[in-house]
């Protein structure tokens, strides 16, 4: 098949809608347009039936024992907000302390900042050089005022997969709730809310080949029953936890995306791993001074985050416009600040600026991987040819010892 340009390799940002998902959704825009809350006629019943089937499929994907534990939302940003603010508010008499990590998505970090302004205390755990949190640090941070621990399943920049099962053992033993932003890991690495003692989990459809603007929050109903204060007031939809008319076509698409992952997720992860390794090994073989950011042992199969020393990140991005990827400077909005995730892992500003995140997905092919490898290798070599620093480095000069003239 002919390659389509630019080659899409930014599957952590979003994924294209799988054609099977689109097909499942279409009837719910036209003939089956009912409001799932309409109890008095067949249009409503049809919509309600589709939503309830969707709940079952999504519950199955994450190992939830009861479909009523799935609360539909507009996506993971909302789910993260609802989990943290909802729990903090509901249990405020019990405590005021939340534990999270410095590498969470902004949907968690900014929510925590707001809670701090309201008087809650937040502990931000550091990560090691691979971007991983130490479960012992979680245990040490828990106090008798701790309500909730929130740790992501997999990081959206460097793909590091956190030890959720180990953390779950600790939080369960200490009687503290565990939330996980599972967005990036769902269907790619093992995740099971029962086996891992997860009490709340955020999921979004547009990272698993479903539509944008729909997601869910898993809220455990027993052992323990998790309560939360709704953040949206209205008709009391979603068991009183999230008011608002349900996005039925979106939910149907979300469920179809989940069904495909239940059936094909494991095989797909193998394929993604193979493609990722093909790209990594080519780059490592033909370029020196590369640094792969993130854990190689505990990592999303489709993630490759690489820093290219002696190359200016923006110049490289411009040079490889045939590929849609993200850079370590642009991850957090349009600003050119180096990524806070790489920073937290001890990566210096220069290397953070020169990092590229390849997010390999379902529709990438070996042919595309080879094209991208050739392109990146060629452009990095060219940019380095123009770099006096690289030349000095090649001549064996220790750059840290150079006394640069002041301007
Ligand atoms: N959490 C993580 C780890 C993400 O990668 C994203 C997406 O960028 C989100 C939350 C936000 O999800 P949504 O776009 O559904 O609000």
């Amino acid at each position: 098949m002919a390659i389509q340009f630019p080659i899409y390799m930014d599957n952590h940002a979003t994924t294209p809608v799988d054609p099977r998902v689109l097909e499942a959704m279409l009837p719910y825009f036209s003939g089956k347009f009912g409001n799932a809350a309409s109890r008095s006629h067949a249009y409503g019943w049809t919509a309600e039936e589709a939503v309830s089937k969707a709940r079952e499929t999504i519950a199955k994907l994450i190992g939830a024992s009861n479909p009523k534990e799935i609360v539909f939302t507009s996506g993971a940003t909302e789910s993260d907000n609802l989990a943290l603010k909802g729990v903090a508010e509901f249990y405020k008499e019990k405590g005021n302390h939340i534990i999270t990590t410095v590498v969470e998505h902004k949907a968690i970090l900014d929510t925590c900042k707001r809670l701090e302004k309201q008087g809650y205390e937040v502990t931000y755990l550091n990560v090691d050089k691979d971007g991983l949190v130490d479960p012992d640090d979680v245990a040490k941070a828990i106090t008798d005022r701790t309500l909730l621990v929130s740790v992501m399943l997999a990081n959206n920049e460097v793909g590091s997969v956190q030890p959720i099962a180990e953390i779950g053992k600790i939080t369960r033993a200490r009687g503290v709730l565990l939330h996980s932003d599972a967005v990036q890991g769902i269907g790619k690495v093992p995740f099971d809310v029962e086996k891992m003692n997860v009490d709340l989990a955020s999921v979004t459809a547009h990272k698993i080949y479903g539509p944008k603007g729909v997601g869910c929050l898993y809220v455990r109903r027993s052992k323990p029953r998790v309560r939360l204060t709704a953040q949206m007031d209205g008709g009391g939809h979603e068991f009183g936890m999230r008011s608002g008319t349900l996005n039925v076509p979106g939910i149907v698409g979300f469920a179809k995306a989940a069904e495909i992952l239940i059936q094909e997720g494991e095989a797909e992860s193998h394929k993604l791993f193979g493609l990722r390794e093909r790209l990594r090994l080519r780059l490592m073989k033909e370029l020196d001074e590369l640094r792969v950011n993130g854990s190689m042992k505990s990592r999303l199969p489709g993630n490759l985050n690489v820093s290219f020393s002696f190359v200016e990140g923006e110049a490289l991005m411009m040079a490889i416009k045939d590929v849609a990827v993200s850079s370590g400077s642009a991850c957090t909005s349009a600003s050119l600040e180096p990524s806070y995730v790489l920073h937290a892992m001890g990566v210096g500003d220069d290397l953070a600026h020169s990092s590229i995140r390849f997010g390999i997905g379902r529709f990438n092919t070996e042919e595309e991987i080879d094209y991208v490898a050739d392109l990146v290798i060629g452009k990095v070599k060219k940019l380095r040819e123009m770099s006096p620093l690289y030349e000095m480095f090649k001549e064996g000069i220790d750059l840290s010892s150079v006394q640069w003239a002041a301007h």
Side-chain angles (χ1 to χ4, degrees), residues 314-352:
E314 287 306 296
L316 181 58
M317 288 292 282
M318 291 301 285
I320 59 167
K321 273 197 295 205
D322 271 356
V323 202
V325 285
S326 282
S327 90
S329 334
C331 284
T332 355
S333 79
S335 74
L336 274 186
E337 277 184 22
S339 136
Y340 65 88
V341 172
L342 293 176
H343 220 243
M345 291 161 53
V347 179
D349 284 0
D350 282 355
L351 278 180

Tab-separated table of all heavy atoms in Angstrom, residues 314-352:
chain	number	residue	atom	x	y	z
A	314	GLU	N	13.682	21.734	17.488
A	314	GLU	CA	12.760	22.363	16.537
A	314	GLU	C	13.258	22.199	15.100
A	314	GLU	O	12.474	22.000	14.174
A	314	GLU	CB	12.571	23.841	16.880
A	314	GLU	CG	11.728	24.077	18.117
A	314	GLU	CD	10.368	23.384	18.057
A	314	GLU	OE1	9.561	23.737	17.177
A	314	GLU	OE2	10.112	22.484	18.880
A	315	ALA	N	14.601	22.283	14.937
A	315	ALA	CA	15.172	22.121	13.595
A	315	ALA	C	14.902	20.704	13.094
A	315	ALA	O	14.548	20.496	11.919
A	315	ALA	CB	16.671	22.385	13.633
A	316	LEU	N	15.017	19.746	14.001
A	316	LEU	CA	14.756	18.357	13.600
A	316	LEU	C	13.281	18.165	13.240
A	316	LEU	O	12.952	17.531	12.228
A	316	LEU	CB	15.181	17.404	14.728
A	316	LEU	CG	14.987	15.912	14.454
A	316	LEU	CD1	15.753	15.477	13.200
A	316	LEU	CD2	15.430	15.058	15.642
A	317	MET	N	12.416	18.755	14.055
A	317	MET	CA	10.970	18.633	13.775
A	317	MET	C	10.640	19.197	12.388
A	317	MET	O	9.847	18.633	11.646
A	317	MET	CB	10.154	19.404	14.818
A	317	MET	CG	10.129	18.778	16.174
A	317	MET	SD	9.228	17.223	16.208
A	317	MET	CE	7.557	17.831	16.235
A	318	MET	N	11.282	20.333	12.074
A	318	MET	CA	11.038	20.946	10.762
A	318	MET	C	11.554	20.041	9.639
A	318	MET	O	10.948	19.935	8.580
A	318	MET	CB	11.756	22.308	10.657
A	318	MET	CG	11.191	23.394	11.526
A	318	MET	SD	9.468	23.714	11.140
A	318	MET	CE	9.662	24.601	9.610
A	319	ALA	N	12.693	19.398	9.930
A	319	ALA	CA	13.331	18.571	8.897
A	319	ALA	C	12.557	17.280	8.636
A	319	ALA	O	12.663	16.695	7.561
A	319	ALA	CB	14.764	18.253	9.318
A	320	ILE	N	11.782	16.838	9.616
A	320	ILE	CA	11.069	15.559	9.425
A	320	ILE	C	9.550	15.791	9.352
A	320	ILE	O	8.763	15.024	9.897
A	320	ILE	CB	11.439	14.516	10.505
A	320	ILE	CG1	11.130	15.015	11.931
A	320	ILE	CG2	12.903	14.114	10.403
A	320	ILE	CD1	11.183	13.910	12.986
A	321	LYS	N	9.195	16.838	8.627
A	321	LYS	CA	7.768	17.190	8.538
A	321	LYS	C	6.912	16.108	7.868
A	321	LYS	O	5.687	16.131	7.951
A	321	LYS	CB	7.602	18.527	7.809
A	321	LYS	CG	7.699	19.700	8.795
A	321	LYS	CD	7.148	20.974	8.216
A	321	LYS	CE	7.994	21.409	7.067
A	321	LYS	NZ	8.020	22.790	6.721
A	322	ASP	N	7.583	15.171	7.209
A	322	ASP	CA	6.843	14.059	6.606
A	322	ASP	C	6.269	13.097	7.644
A	322	ASP	O	5.537	12.173	7.298
A	322	ASP	CB	7.786	13.245	5.700
A	322	ASP	CG	7.809	13.797	4.288
A	322	ASP	OD1	7.048	14.744	4.025
A	322	ASP	OD2	8.592	13.280	3.467
A	323	VAL	N	6.686	13.290	8.896
A	323	VAL	CA	6.188	12.418	9.959
A	323	VAL	C	5.509	13.265	11.018
A	323	VAL	O	6.066	14.280	11.446
A	323	VAL	CB	7.333	11.671	10.701
A	323	VAL	CG1	6.793	10.431	11.378
A	323	VAL	CG2	8.494	11.381	9.831
A	324	ALA	N	4.329	12.865	11.439
A	324	ALA	CA	3.642	13.579	12.514
A	324	ALA	C	4.042	12.952	13.839
A	324	ALA	O	3.618	11.831	14.160
A	324	ALA	CB	2.135	13.475	12.310
A	325	VAL	N	4.925	13.667	14.582
A	325	VAL	CA	5.369	13.195	15.899
A	325	VAL	C	5.317	14.374	16.866
A	325	VAL	O	4.997	15.492	16.460
A	325	VAL	CB	6.824	12.645	15.850
A	325	VAL	CG1	6.890	11.290	15.196
A	325	VAL	CG2	7.769	13.626	15.163
A	326	SER	N	5.662	14.125	18.142
A	326	SER	CA	5.723	15.228	19.102
A	326	SER	C	7.153	15.411	19.560
A	326	SER	O	7.940	14.466	19.536
A	326	SER	CB	4.877	14.912	20.331
A	326	SER	OG	3.541	15.109	20.039
A	327	SER	N	7.472	16.624	20.012
A	327	SER	CA	8.827	16.849	20.509
A	327	SER	C	8.781	17.112	22.011
A	327	SER	O	7.732	17.438	22.561
A	327	SER	CB	9.471	18.034	19.801
A	327	SER	OG	9.193	19.215	20.512
A	328	GLY	N	9.932	16.970	22.638
A	328	GLY	CA	10.047	17.178	24.090
A	328	GLY	C	9.865	18.617	24.495
A	328	GLY	O	9.801	18.929	25.674
A	329	SER	N	9.757	19.501	23.531
A	329	SER	CA	9.521	20.895	23.895
A	329	SER	C	8.052	21.240	23.781
A	329	SER	O	7.583	22.128	24.458
A	329	SER	CB	10.269	21.857	22.965
A	329	SER	OG	11.384	21.275	22.424
A	330	ALA	N	7.369	20.577	22.906
A	330	ALA	CA	6.017	21.028	22.576
A	330	ALA	C	4.921	20.274	23.310
A	330	ALA	O	3.764	20.603	23.166
A	330	ALA	CB	5.797	20.913	21.077
A	331	CYS	N	5.317	19.278	24.111
A	331	CYS	CA	4.297	18.422	24.719
A	331	CYS	C	3.298	19.196	25.570
A	331	CYS	O	2.122	18.932	25.561
A	331	CYS	CB	4.943	17.352	25.572
A	331	CYS	SG	5.640	16.069	24.554
A	332	THR	N	3.839	20.142	26.348
A	332	THR	CA	2.948	20.906	27.210
A	332	THR	C	2.538	22.178	26.481
A	332	THR	O	3.233	23.173	26.560
A	332	THR	CB	3.673	21.319	28.501
A	332	THR	OG1	4.937	20.737	28.504
A	332	THR	CG2	2.894	20.999	29.708
A	333	SER	N	1.508	22.101	25.728
A	333	SER	CA	0.943	23.247	25.020
A	333	SER	C	1.897	23.818	23.977
A	333	SER	O	2.846	23.193	23.549
A	333	SER	CB	0.532	24.347	26.001
A	333	SER	OG	1.644	25.080	26.422
A	334	ALA	N	1.659	25.054	23.619
A	334	ALA	CA	2.437	25.653	22.538
A	334	ALA	C	3.749	26.250	23.037
A	334	ALA	O	4.548	26.737	22.258
A	334	ALA	CB	1.607	26.730	21.868
A	335	SER	N	3.966	26.215	24.339
A	335	SER	CA	5.181	26.830	24.880
A	335	SER	C	6.402	26.009	24.518
A	335	SER	O	6.314	24.833	24.213
A	335	SER	CB	5.084	26.929	26.396
A	335	SER	OG	5.269	25.643	26.938
A	336	LEU	N	7.546	26.648	24.577
A	336	LEU	CA	8.768	25.929	24.236
A	336	LEU	C	9.528	25.483	25.485
A	336	LEU	O	10.725	25.286	25.461
A	336	LEU	CB	9.653	26.790	23.339
A	336	LEU	CG	9.310	26.676	21.850
A	336	LEU	CD1	10.302	27.418	20.998
A	336	LEU	CD2	9.205	25.233	21.389
A	337	GLU	N	8.794	25.333	26.563
A	337	GLU	CA	9.443	24.855	27.780
A	337	GLU	C	9.769	23.388	27.607
A	337	GLU	O	8.989	22.647	27.032
A	337	GLU	CB	8.471	24.990	28.954
A	337	GLU	CG	8.477	26.369	29.516
A	337	GLU	CD	7.588	26.471	30.738
A	337	GLU	OE1	7.321	25.457	31.369
A	337	GLU	OE2	7.180	27.601	31.003
A	338	PRO	N	10.941	22.974	28.148
A	338	PRO	CA	11.245	21.543	28.034
A	338	PRO	C	10.231	20.733	28.838
A	338	PRO	O	9.661	21.228	29.807
A	338	PRO	CB	12.646	21.424	28.628
A	338	PRO	CG	12.868	22.657	29.413
A	338	PRO	CD	11.981	23.722	28.840
A	339	SER	N	10.012	19.506	28.407
A	339	SER	CA	9.006	18.668	29.041
A	339	SER	C	9.284	18.471	30.540
A	339	SER	O	10.398	18.128	30.936
A	339	SER	CB	9.016	17.323	28.330
A	339	SER	OG	8.963	16.270	29.244
A	340	TYR	N	8.253	18.672	31.366
A	340	TYR	CA	8.440	18.485	32.815
A	340	TYR	C	8.641	17.024	33.165
A	340	TYR	O	9.232	16.695	34.187
A	340	TYR	CB	7.270	19.103	33.615
A	340	TYR	CG	5.919	18.446	33.391
A	340	TYR	CD1	5.511	17.355	34.151
A	340	TYR	CD2	5.055	18.916	32.413
A	340	TYR	CE1	4.275	16.747	33.947
A	340	TYR	CE2	3.820	18.326	32.194
A	340	TYR	CZ	3.439	17.236	32.956
A	340	TYR	OH	2.214	16.638	32.749
A	341	VAL	N	8.175	16.148	32.285
A	341	VAL	CA	8.351	14.709	32.545
A	341	VAL	C	9.832	14.343	32.396
A	341	VAL	O	10.431	13.700	33.266
A	341	VAL	CB	7.476	13.870	31.585
A	341	VAL	CG1	7.795	12.385	31.696
A	341	VAL	CG2	6.000	14.117	31.862
A	342	LEU	N	10.444	14.789	31.283
A	342	LEU	CA	11.863	14.499	31.063
A	342	LEU	C	12.706	15.154	32.158
A	342	LEU	O	13.658	14.572	32.661
A	342	LEU	CB	12.299	14.988	29.674
A	342	LEU	CG	11.656	14.237	28.497
A	342	LEU	CD1	12.073	14.856	27.173
A	342	LEU	CD2	12.033	12.757	28.520
A	343	HIS	N	12.328	16.355	32.521
A	343	HIS	CA	13.013	17.082	33.582
A	343	HIS	C	13.018	16.273	34.867
A	343	HIS	O	14.054	16.116	35.517
A	343	HIS	CB	12.255	18.401	33.810
A	343	HIS	CG	13.162	19.544	34.047
A	343	HIS	ND1	13.178	20.231	35.225
A	343	HIS	CD2	14.104	20.109	33.259
A	343	HIS	CE1	14.083	21.182	35.168
A	343	HIS	NE2	14.665	21.130	33.983
A	344	ALA	N	11.841	15.742	35.224
A	344	ALA	CA	11.705	14.969	36.462
A	344	ALA	C	12.571	13.710	36.431
A	344	ALA	O	12.953	13.176	37.475
A	344	ALA	CB	10.242	14.584	36.675
A	345	MET	N	12.890	13.233	35.226
A	345	MET	CA	13.714	12.024	35.096
A	345	MET	C	15.200	12.368	35.057
A	345	MET	O	16.036	11.497	34.819
A	345	MET	CB	13.326	11.288	33.803
A	345	MET	CG	11.928	10.680	33.879
A	345	MET	SD	11.230	10.309	32.243
A	345	MET	CE	12.507	9.330	31.518
A	346	GLY	N	15.513	13.650	35.221
A	346	GLY	CA	16.916	14.063	35.252
A	346	GLY	C	17.497	14.357	33.883
A	346	GLY	O	18.705	14.494	33.737
A	347	VAL	N	16.647	14.468	32.859
A	347	VAL	CA	17.141	14.793	31.521
A	347	VAL	C	17.343	16.317	31.463
A	347	VAL	O	16.427	17.070	31.798
A	347	VAL	CB	16.123	14.349	30.438
A	347	VAL	CG1	16.619	14.706	29.043
A	347	VAL	CG2	15.855	12.852	30.543
A	348	GLY	N	18.535	16.754	31.038
A	348	GLY	CA	18.831	18.187	30.983
A	348	GLY	C	18.031	18.886	29.888
A	348	GLY	O	17.452	18.229	29.010
A	349	ASP	N	18.033	20.228	29.949
A	349	ASP	CA	17.226	21.001	28.995
A	349	ASP	C	17.585	20.706	27.538
A	349	ASP	O	16.706	20.563	26.693
A	349	ASP	CB	17.386	22.505	29.246
A	349	ASP	CG	16.600	22.939	30.470
A	349	ASP	OD1	15.961	22.069	31.091
A	349	ASP	OD2	16.634	24.134	30.801
A	350	ASP	N	18.889	20.620	27.253
A	350	ASP	CA	19.303	20.406	25.862
A	350	ASP	C	18.760	19.100	25.313
A	350	ASP	O	18.190	19.055	24.221
A	350	ASP	CB	20.838	20.375	25.754
A	350	ASP	CG	21.396	21.787	25.812
A	350	ASP	OD1	20.578	22.731	25.826
A	350	ASP	OD2	22.632	21.915	25.845
A	351	LEU	N	18.926	18.049	26.112
A	351	LEU	CA	18.450	16.737	25.652
A	351	LEU	C	16.929	16.681	25.603
A	351	LEU	O	16.346	16.033	24.736
A	351	LEU	CB	18.989	15.625	26.539
A	351	LEU	CG	20.407	15.156	26.231
A	351	LEU	CD1	20.824	14.050	27.196
A	351	LEU	CD2	20.522	14.643	24.792
A	352	ALA	N	16.293	17.396	26.520
A	352	ALA	CA	14.824	17.413	26.507
A	352	ALA	C	14.330	18.116	25.238
A	352	ALA	O	13.418	17.648	24.561
A	352	ALA	CB	14.292	18.114	27.744
